[in-house]
Structures are given as C-alpha cells and as structure tokens.
Amino acid sequence: WLVERGDLVSDPMLGISRPRKPETLPVAFTDDQLAAILRAVSTPDQDARTPWPIRDRALVITLAGTGVRATELCAMDCSDLTGGADPLIRVHGKGGKTRVVPLTPEVSRAMQEYLIDRAQRFPVPPDTAIDPVAPLWVNYRGQRLSRGALKQYVYRWLLRAGVPRPDGEAVHAFRHTFATGLIANGTDIATVRQLLGHSSIASTQIYLRMTGADLASAVRAAPIATLAREP
C-alpha cells in the first residue's frame, strides 16, 4: 500500500519469505471407532425426521470402503454402479477426471440392500425404466443427497457413536481411514494414489507418514520397551 502511494521506493516485504504452515497429519478412525459408528447407524435414529438405517449403513460402508470424497459420493448416478461378479463404481473426481473403484463384497452387499430398500420407499411405475442419470444416493424425499446433508449426517453419526469429531471435514476422515488401511495392509503407494484419484503422488505420500507414526507408536508400546523403562 505504501509503495502504491509512492511513500516507499521498493517493497521491503519482498525479502521476507512466507512462514510455512505447520503440516498436520490427516485424522483417520480407528477400528473400534468405525465399529461404533456402524453400530450407531444400524439402529434407527429416534431423533431423525425419517430414520433410514439401511441407507446410512450403506453410506458409512461406501465411504470407508472406497475412499471417495463427499462431493464424489453425492454426484454418483445409478448408471455409475456396475454389478456382476466384479462390481465397480465409476467416480467423477476433481478436474473432470473419472476413475473406476472396485467394490468389495461388503460394500457391494450394503449398496444392494440400500437399493432394494430404496425401491420400496420410492417405487417406480410398472414398465418404466430407471433413469440412468438418476441419483444413486437420495434423501428421505427421494432427491439427490447434498454434500451439506451428508456432512450433517456424519456429525449425527459421530455423536450417536460417541466418537470425537475429527479436526477438519468429518466426512473426509472416512477417506483417510480407507487410505491408511490400504497402506497398512501393504498396498503400494501408486495403487493407493489411483484409487484415491490424486493428481500428484505427493498428496498420497502423507499417508506413508501417518503409517510411520503408527508404527513408531507400536514399537514404543512393545514389551521390551516397557521392560527397558523399569529400574
């Protein structure tokens, strides 16, 4: 501002570098927390306007079992789901990029149970084909599920399950849970990147550091570490 006014000949801030933002690791749910969330959503929410436990359970399993973003999940159409022996889901990611994510039997089963229940709630007239661009995930009115509504659902799930709300976007914690689980089970970083739809490998490598922190904690908790601390 002073340079623009002519009070200073040059900008003294040009020689000062911007401080680096402290890097924080993403927060993932533990196995116990994920189990608590599943138990909570599997029972009807008495405070909900229209409880839909089958759909909520399918949402939790899909989020944790595919690692899709909230926007990607809400944008899914019925035509994006492929059944058969090797079920797949087509995911429309950032920048108009599309990827295909295989579905485990657990995710596929939860989705099919939801679709059967959904058909009973919102029956299609006889001899009427399902619109291929019909939303896959809907609210209690049968309209496409919005990202804002999904966010509120997740907050209610965590509250009912007694799981602390993670820092940042709570829906994204399911994505972190999916990624860290893959790496902990030995999946290579390139495959994890492909499944998550990251444009840069640098975005995926943060999960390696998360796993490294978990390993360090495990080593510190080993019996020999405890014995060594004893006088």
Side-chain angles (χ1 to χ4, degrees):
W1 179 72
L2 291 173
V3 173
E4 291 178 354
R5 281 172 47 96
D7 296 333
L8 290 177
V9 177
S10 61
D11 187 352
M13 299 301 295
L14 294 178
I16 300 177
S17 61
R18 178 181 299 178
R20 295 186 61 181
K21 182 179 179 181
E23 188 178 78
T24 57
L25 295 177
V27 177
F29 296 120
T30 65
D31 291 345
D32 290 341
Q33 289 176 332
L34 199 56
I37 295 172
L38 277 174
R39 287 194 299 268
V41 301
S42 297
T43 56
D45 185 356
Q46 301 301 326
D47 296 328
R49 181 180 302 178
T50 307
W52 198 349
I54 293 180
R55 182 208 55 188
D56 292 350
R57 185 174 184 275
L59 283 171
V60 171
I61 293 176
T62 301
L63 286 169
T66 62
V68 296
R69 302 176 178 92
T71 303
E72 295 171 343
L73 182 136
C74 294
M76 289 177 180
D77 295 326
C78 290
S79 58
D80 292 325
L81 181 62
T82 302
D86 299 309
L88 306 168
I89 187 71
R90 185 169 59 246
V91 181
H92 305 280
K94 290 183 177 180
K97 296 181 180 179
T98 302
R99 68 185 187 277
V100 176
V101 178
L103 301 179
T104 64
E106 294 78 14
V107 176
S108 179
R109 190 181 307 113
M111 278 191 173
Q112 293 304 323
E113 291 174 354
Y114 153 70
L115 289 174
I116 293 173
D117 188 70
R118 167 183 162 174
Q120 296 174 351
R121 288 174 177 255
F122 307 103
V124 178
D127 302 326
T128 301
I130 297 178
D131 186 354
V133 295
L136 179 60
W137 302 101
V138 298
N139 58 22
Y140 70 95
R141 295 192 184 94
Q143 302 168 338
R144 183 181 294 275
L145 184 65
S146 68
R147 180 177 173 178
L150 178 61
K151 180 179 178 180
Q152 293 303 316
Y153 289 164
V154 172
Y155 286 163
R156 291 187 65 85
W157 298 341
L158 298 180
L159 182 63
R160 295 179 62 207
V163 175
R165 184 187 301 183
D167 295 334
E169 187 176 351
V171 183
H172 224 59
F174 290 101
R175 179 173 169 87
H176 301 324
T177 304
F178 172 73
T180 54
L182 289 177
I183 293 178
N185 288 327
T187 307
D188 63 271
I189 193 71
T191 301
V192 177
R193 173 191 176 186
Q194 183 178 357
L195 290 172
L196 293 178
H198 284 158
S199 58
S200 171
I201 194 70
S203 300
T204 317
Q205 288 176 334
I206 190 171
Y207 296 109
L208 289 176
R209 292 194 289 275
M210 289 180 66
T211 306
D214 293 339
L215 291 175
S217 298
V219 170
R220 287 194 293 269
I224 188 61
T226 303
L227 292 174
R229 288 193 295 267
E230 294 180 357

